[in-house]
């Protein structure tokens, strides 16, 4: 599958490297695709990964992963894209202390099948998981959930359908609790969610 990743930080980098190792074609976006940092990321990910501009990355991918922190950079990147036709969008972002759900806002920006995923655990678990059968809670449009299901499975996660994109705030609350436990209860970053079924 062709995956365009908007954002080449910890989350975008981890997901891109992990999917490239599974044989997916990955393009990371950057203001400067030829920078030393981006070329190092491409080298780490290996074939068949590459770097491009935001517009090149969206044109390239079948699935577009949004992994840019909320703020000016995200809004700037999204404003560069006029046509999302034929794309599936995966939102991995979180924004705490806000009444607005990032997942619902992203959906409003792109008007194509959208899903919320990979926002409830630390980036390390995306690339080098220390647990088996970790739950990956996903919500969004049915077409988008179907499209990303193989990508979730490829990284070793147990995908759980959490309903429509209107439930994105529930996943974002899970992320906020994850961060609270990590920082305030000093449990460390090697924690993850698992849904147990009787």
């Amino acid at each position: 599958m062709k995956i365009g990743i908007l954002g080449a930080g910890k989350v975008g980098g981890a997901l891109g490297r992990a999917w490239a190792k599974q044989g997916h074609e990955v393009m990371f976006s950057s203001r400067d695709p030829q920078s030393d940092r981006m070329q190092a990321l491409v080298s780490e990910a290996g074939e068949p990964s590459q770097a491009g501009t935001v517009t090149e990355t969206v044109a390239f991918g079948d699935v577009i992963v949004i992994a840019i922190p909320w703020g000016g950079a995200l809004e700037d990147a999204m404003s560069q894209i006029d046509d999302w036709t034929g794309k599936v969008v995966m939102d991995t972002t979180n924004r705490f202390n806000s009444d607005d759900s990032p997942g619902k806002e992203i959906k409003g920006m792109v008007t194509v099948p959208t899903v919320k995923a990979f926002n409830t655990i630390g980036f390390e678990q995306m690339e080098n998981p220390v647990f088996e059968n970790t739950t990956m809670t996903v919500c969004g449009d049915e077409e988008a959930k179907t499209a990303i299901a193989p990508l979730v499975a490829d990284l070793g996660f147990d995908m759980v359908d959490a309903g429509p994109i209107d439930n994105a705030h529930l996943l974002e609350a899970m992320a906020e609790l994850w961060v609270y436990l990590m920082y305030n209860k000093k449990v460390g970053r090697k924690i993850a969610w698992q849904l147990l079924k009787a």
Side-chain angles (χ1 to χ4, degrees):
M1 188 179 297
K2 290 185 175 181
I3 306 168
I5 300 182
L6 302 187
K10 292 179 178 179
V11 172
L15 286 172
R17 286 190 297 264
W19 281 320
K21 290 174 184 175
Q22 294 297 321
H24 296 285
E25 297 180 60
V26 175
M27 179 180 284
F28 300 97
S29 76
S30 173
R31 291 190 181 95
D32 183 5
Q34 301 306 316
S35 69
D36 291 345
R37 186 179 75 85
M38 291 304 299
Q39 292 307 304
L41 176 58
V42 168
S43 178
E44 290 169 7
E47 295 293 339
S49 63
Q50 56 187 303
T53 64
V54 168
T55 54
E56 289 171 341
T57 300
V58 172
F60 169 86
D62 299 314
V63 172
I64 308 301
V65 178
I66 298 177
I68 303 175
W70 278 85
L74 175 59
E75 285 81 350
D76 178 63
M78 299 298 283
S79 70
Q80 296 178 44
I81 309 303
D82 296 323
D83 186 9
W84 294 88
T85 303
K87 308 299 178 180
V88 167
V89 170
M90 180 194 299
D91 168 36
T92 70
T93 68
N94 288 305
R95 182 181 57 194
F96 304 143
N97 303 316
S98 173
D99 293 332
D100 299 317
S101 164
K104 291 181 69 175
E105 286 196 45
I106 293 289
K107 172 63 177 177
M109 292 177 184
V110 300
T111 64
V112 293
T114 304
V115 66
K116 184 89 178 184
F118 290 100
N119 73 303
T120 56
I121 59 171
F123 68 90
E124 305 95 335
Q125 298 298 319
M126 301 173 189
E127 187 175 7
N128 297 300
V130 297
F131 305 107
E132 293 184 359
N133 302 318
T134 299
T135 297
M136 181 52 60
T137 314
V138 172
C139 70
D141 301 312
E142 293 303 319
E143 182 180 341
K145 284 184 281 193
T146 299
I148 74 156
L151 299 180
V152 175
D154 280 348
L155 301 193
F157 292 96
D158 179 15
M159 179 169 149
V160 172
D161 186 341
I165 198 67
D166 284 351
N167 287 347
H169 67 285
L170 300 176
L171 276 64
E172 292 148 8
M174 289 175 66
E176 191 166 8
L177 177 58
W178 189 96
V179 171
Y180 176 84
L181 293 173
M182 179 187 65
Y183 281 117
N184 295 76
K185 296 304 179 181
K186 310 299 183 185
V187 298
R189 296 184 61 87
K190 292 183 178 180
I191 56 174
W193 303 110
Q194 185 175 50
L195 179 65
L196 301 179
K197 303 174 185 178

